[in-house]
Amino acid sequence: MLKDKIINLFKDAIKKALDAGELGQLTEVPNEIDLDKCKNPDHGDRAISIAMKLARDAKMAPIKIAEAIVKYLDYKSIGSVTVVPPGFINIIFDWNCLEGSLVEIHREKENFGYFDKTKKEKNKILVEYVSANPTGNLHLGHGRQAALGSALASLLDWAGYDVFSEFYINDAGVQIEKLSASAKAAIQIQEGVIPESEYPEEAYPLESMLDVLKPEVYSEKLQAELDSDSNLKTKVDYKTLDAELAGKIAKDLFIDLQTKVLGDMEVRFDNWFSEKENLHQEKDNKVTEICKILEDNGNLYDQDSALWFKAKHYGDERDRVIQKSQGVYTYLAADIAYHKNKFDRGFDKLINIWGGDHHGQEPGIRGAIKAINYDPDLLELIFIQMVSLQKDGVEVKMSKRKGDIVNVDELLEEVGNDALRFFLIDSQANNRMVFDLELAKKQDKDNPVYYIQYAHARAASILRNLSSAKINIETKEEEAPELSEAELQDLEKTIFTKPNEILQAFSGESVDEDSLQTIRTLILELIEFPNVIEDAAEIRAPYKVSVYLKNLASLFHQFYNENRIIGVSEELMKARLSIALASKTVIANALRLLGISAPEKM
RNA sequence: GCGCCCGUAGCUCAGCUGGAUAGAGCAACUGCCUUCUAAGCAGUGGGUCAAUGGUUCGAAUCCAUUCGGGCGUGCCA
């Protein structure tokens, strides 16, 4: 990568300047040197501000440091540099250098930006996200977690991590009991056994139960259950319906529904981790085991006939109940067991994506991890704040209250996956966001998804048109295509591997300065892609990729408008084509990373 | 009350591990289609970076305090 090359050149220069004793009291080469973008293109392509940062330690004026560094800098292979007060070192790349980077994009194609996994140590990451209870459909909040979580998993994968994604199914405990009561009542209402007025108050919304518990579905499942259970051919008796069975059916239906909705969002997990099956087994119960470990460590105590974990000792604001007085374990107990299980599977890093309203649980789980002698620093929590929906200009707050839920599948149907994912990814996780329904539905330039996809489609259409025959408007005769199929196939070999020829075409033509600057800016942005991935992965921020894409698309449209490709000299055509195709490659890669389609035609 | 998060253009947001003149998109207004997709481009207007103080060569960015908003503060999950 060009960036690494430049940083290394600067490190070498600083080392030489140090050895020559020209950097004052500075004693060592800095570990980190940032390569900054220039806000003003007149300043150059990239800037280094290390001289200002070293000024304090060196006890020298920044500009003197910059001059000393440049004196030893071998910049010939990248271009030219200038030193500007108060101490910026500005870099202007020469064409060959930019061209070399373009060739790299063409060479790597769909792998451009994808980092080698063998180069990273300690790179096994588990990303757990969504983890909705199997007691209802997925609402917009889950949708944001799904979009961001899957985009993050993908981003980390691109950045060279070995990513494993997981959905924790919370299929044990009180919410399942509540689901059972809800499901039983919902079925009995539909069978006329009880009136709707008798639907329990402390139950999940009836409407959401009715969504999955349809007569033809539950009757078949109940009958199947009955048949497998006995040899008697009896009919289902809805009056004596077993709540647990009704709950199990509802749970399975909700898991199926969630799986389908997530699949429609291009969200797939490596593992669906069932709490019930993995932690609450009859034999070798992991939750009781965790309590025993905590007890042996002296981290538990009895009070009011409940078992308490000494969370306060580990930094929480108070102690937490782990087993209620009636003997039931709390959510925390299972969660500790789950985290122990994750650690025991040998990941180097655990990332949990939680709803922002769960942030109060962080000290508790961290404390517990410490209490069972695992390293809480390996656990990273990402909190995703609420999404509110804007409809007809009015903001409707999302909450779990009855009737106020907007489900992901409805949104998917309304705006499509590309727009849904993009909008949900395109903002920082720990900021609340507003989902503008009308904007997401728009299929025009106002909608950033279409704007980006359109850039890709435009690039694709150039390629298509190059190799297809044209009809002359005046003579109505068919003319030969610009490139034959064979030439098109050969494109990469013929125009993309000769670094000294591609961009020189521009200097031979009467290309105006603005157009050249557009091209420079576009190429610089294209080769920025791997850096964007690295930076975004580092701070776990997929939205950086979407922000990058919007900017890149804008630069491409600008380029497209200023530079015709078909109908110019062959030299110029190839030079421009190489840029258009590199753009197509990078846009496609970035969209793929985000789980959004890159259409060839729109 | 305490804890966490947020506050940048009318709206939605970038920029925040300190760097050069604070940027996009939408909305408003003005140009550009006989030429590769106008789902586009070019241009104009729009700011007390919530406020105050501090740190320093330099602060939207870091620190403190204040104000405003959200969430949390259960033997719920």
Side-chain angles (χ1 to χ4, degrees):
Chain A
M1 263 196 291
L2 185 57
K3 179 187 168 188
D4 296 339
K5 181 180 171 184
I6 294 165
I7 301 296
N8 285 331
L9 286 178
F10 271 83
K11 284 187 175 173
D12 286 347
I14 293 172
K15 186 169 188 312
K16 282 175 188 159
L18 269 177
D19 292 344
E22 293 182 34
L23 290 180
Q25 297 181 29
L26 196 71
T27 52
E28 52 190 38
V29 180
N31 283 327
E32 296 230 349
I33 298 179
D34 292 327
L35 185 64
D36 301 324
K37 284 188 179 179
C38 295
K39 282 181 195 165
N40 185 341
D42 293 341
H43 291 147
D45 295 323
R46 288 290 182 268
I48 297 267
S49 57
I50 192 70
M52 268 100 76
K53 295 189 170 90
L54 295 178
R56 202 161 307 162
D57 288 341
K59 295 203 162 56
M60 270 174 78
I63 190 127
K64 297 283 177 203
I65 298 174
E67 280 163 359
I69 293 172
V70 167
K71 184 174 162 188
Y72 293 98
L73 187 68
D74 178 23
Y75 52 79
K76 295 226 166 52
S77 62
I78 50 173
S80 59
V81 295
T82 52
V83 174
V84 180
F88 289 103
I89 301 171
N90 293 330
I91 302 169
I92 299 167
F93 299 117
D94 62 24
W95 282 115
N96 277 346
C97 180
L98 295 177
E99 216 175 281
S101 298
L102 258 194
V103 170
E104 212 171 290
I105 297 174
H106 291 300
R107 200 175 52 229
E108 297 185 24
K109 294 277 266 187
E110 65 272 14
N111 289 321
F112 180 69
Y114 197 88
F115 285 76
D116 188 348
K117 295 211 186 311
T118 59
K119 286 188 180 158
K120 245 191 182 78
E121 286 174 26
K122 297 236 163 202
N123 71 343
K124 275 191 73 179
I125 296 191
L126 174 69
V127 182
E128 181 223 320
Y129 63 103
V130 187
S131 299
N133 288 344
T135 56
N137 204 340
L138 299 172
H139 58 67
L140 189 47
H142 294 128
R144 192 180 188 200
Q145 291 180 41
L148 274 169
S150 58
L152 176 63
S154 170
L155 173 63
L156 292 170
D157 173 50
W158 276 73
Y161 291 95
D162 188 0
V163 182
F164 189 84
S165 62
E166 191 157 283
F167 184 115
Y168 179 60
I169 309 172
N170 208 205
D171 55 357
V174 291
Q175 71 282 359
I176 290 298
E177 282 170 34
K178 188 170 152 186
L179 177 67
S180 297
S182 310
K184 179 183 173 183
I187 292 173
Q188 287 185 324
I189 286 168
Q190 294 183 84
E191 293 298 325
V193 177
I194 58 170
E196 201 173 318
S197 58
E198 276 180 35
Y199 189 73
E201 267 182 43
E202 289 292 306
Y204 293 106
L206 179 58
E207 314 87 76
S208 84
M209 290 297 129
L210 297 180
D211 277 348
V212 291
L213 288 170
K214 303 208 186 303
E216 64 273 18
V217 177
Y218 65 68
S219 61
E220 189 183 319
K221 290 201 180 263
L222 285 169
Q223 192 64 55
E225 199 71 34
L226 197 66
D227 291 348
S228 71
D229 214 36
S230 74
N231 299 321
L232 303 167
K233 292 270 178 199
T234 49
K235 281 205 153 188
V236 180
D237 180 2
Y238 288 104
K239 284 187 181 123
T240 61
L241 182 62
D242 179 34
E244 199 180 320
L245 181 58
K248 185 183 174 297
I249 288 170
K251 183 192 84 177
D252 289 345
L253 288 170
F254 278 125
I255 292 175
D256 287 349
L257 177 62
Q258 291 178 1
T259 309
K260 186 192 176 299
V261 174
L262 290 167
D264 289 346
M265 281 187 75
E266 298 294 321
V267 175
R268 286 170 188 85
F269 293 91
D270 292 315
N271 188 31
W272 290 69
F273 187 97
S274 161
E275 175 187 350
K276 191 180 176 200
E277 286 165 29
N278 293 290
L279 303 175
H280 295 276
Q281 312 93 315
E282 301 254 321
K283 289 173 187 172
D284 190 27
N285 185 301
K286 302 296 182 197
V287 181
T288 52
E289 180 192 288
I290 215 75
C291 290
K292 179 144 194 337
I293 295 172
L294 286 168
E295 187 152 31
D296 292 347
N297 287 344
N299 284 299
L300 295 185
Y301 64 89
D302 271 301
Q303 191 183 305
D304 304 329
S305 64
L307 256 187
W308 294 71
F309 164 56
K310 295 177 181 171
K312 199 170 177 184
H313 176 73
Y314 294 96
D316 204 345
E317 54 188 18
R318 59 179 186 83
D319 291 342
R320 305 280 168 179
V321 170
I322 205 165
Q323 187 179 22
K324 301 185 220 172
S325 51
Q326 293 95 337
V328 185
Y329 291 107
T330 61
Y331 178 85
L332 177 62
D335 215 26
I336 302 169
Y338 177 39
H339 281 82
K340 180 179 185 299
N341 175 293
K342 287 185 184 178
F343 277 108
D344 289 343
R345 279 186 272 163
F347 293 102
D348 301 310
K349 194 110 203 164
L350 305 177
I351 296 180
N352 294 359
I353 295 183
W354 285 359
D357 53 346
H358 289 73
H359 71 251
Q361 293 168 33
E362 178 169 3
I365 190 68
R366 279 195 190 286
I369 288 167
K370 206 167 177 192
I372 60 171
N373 291 316
Y374 286 84
D375 182 2
D377 289 342
L378 298 185
L379 174 68
E380 233 175 88
L381 294 175
I382 295 174
F383 294 102
I384 298 199
Q385 301 301 329
M386 285 204 298
V387 187
S388 56
L389 194 71
Q390 200 179 62
K391 213 172 184 175
D392 301 324
V394 184
E395 196 171 315
V396 189
K397 269 227 182 84
M398 301 297 300
S399 81
K400 284 191 176 179
R401 279 171 309 159
K402 275 188 186 182
D404 220 14
I405 296 171
V406 174
N407 292 329
V408 175
D409 47 1
E410 298 161 357
L411 272 161
L412 264 172
E413 204 164 301
E414 203 141 358
V415 307
N417 183 50
D418 287 343
L420 182 66
R421 278 188 73 92
F422 187 88
F423 275 70
L424 292 175
I425 289 167
D426 189 38
S427 60
Q428 290 190 57
N430 62 357
N431 285 17
R432 280 174 294 156
M433 72 161 288
V434 177
F435 190 96
D436 187 333
L437 197 56
E438 286 131 272
L439 183 59
K441 270 160 78 174
K442 271 190 180 175
Q443 305 216 347
D444 64 28
K445 62 175 178 171
D446 296 351
N447 187 337
V449 189
Y450 285 88
Y451 182 76
I452 294 163
Q453 291 180 322
Y454 184 47
H456 182 267
R458 272 181 147 179
S461 93
I462 295 169
L463 200 61
R464 225 177 12 249
N465 292 336
L466 272 173
S467 59
S468 55
K470 299 174 293 187
I471 308 285
N472 188 307
I473 298 171
E474 285 167 19
T475 62
K476 309 248 192 254
E477 278 173 25
E478 197 168 288
E479 292 180 353
E482 299 278 336
L483 291 174
S484 67
E485 279 297 328
E487 281 175 309
L488 196 66
Q489 294 293 316
D490 232 22
L491 215 52
E492 288 167 44
K493 282 173 207 147
T494 56
I495 71 172
F496 301 141
T497 53
K498 296 183 231 162
N500 288 322
E501 288 174 37
I502 300 172
L503 292 168
Q504 277 177 4
F506 293 121
S507 53
E509 302 275 336
S510 53
V511 179
D512 67 280
E513 279 300 312
D514 284 352
S515 174
L516 273 182
Q517 190 53 53
T518 303
I519 289 164
R520 284 189 84 84
T521 311
L522 175 57
I523 294 172
L524 285 166
E525 194 65 8
L526 287 171
I527 64 184
E528 196 66 24
F529 183 53
N531 303 333
V532 169
I533 288 177
E534 245 184 345
D535 291 349
E538 176 86 23
I539 60 168
R540 324 292 193 219
Y543 79 91
K544 292 258 181 196
V545 179
S546 65
V547 169
Y548 167 78
L549 261 174
K550 285 190 282 191
N551 190 39
L552 179 60
S554 168
L555 292 170
F556 177 76
H557 284 305
Q558 198 179 329
F559 163 81
Y560 179 94
N561 269 59
E562 289 174 7
N563 298 275
R564 289 199 57 80
I565 289 171
I566 296 175
V568 297
S569 74
E570 190 181 340
E571 278 268 289
L572 200 54
M573 176 194 82
K574 287 186 174 177
R576 288 175 173 172
L577 189 57
S578 73
I579 294 165
L581 292 186
S583 305
K584 179 176 182 280
T585 296
V586 177
I587 292 171
N589 289 2
L591 284 172
R592 182 155 47 91
L593 187 159
L594 295 180
I596 297 169
S597 68
E600 293 285 314
K601 235 184 213 177
M602 284 174 79

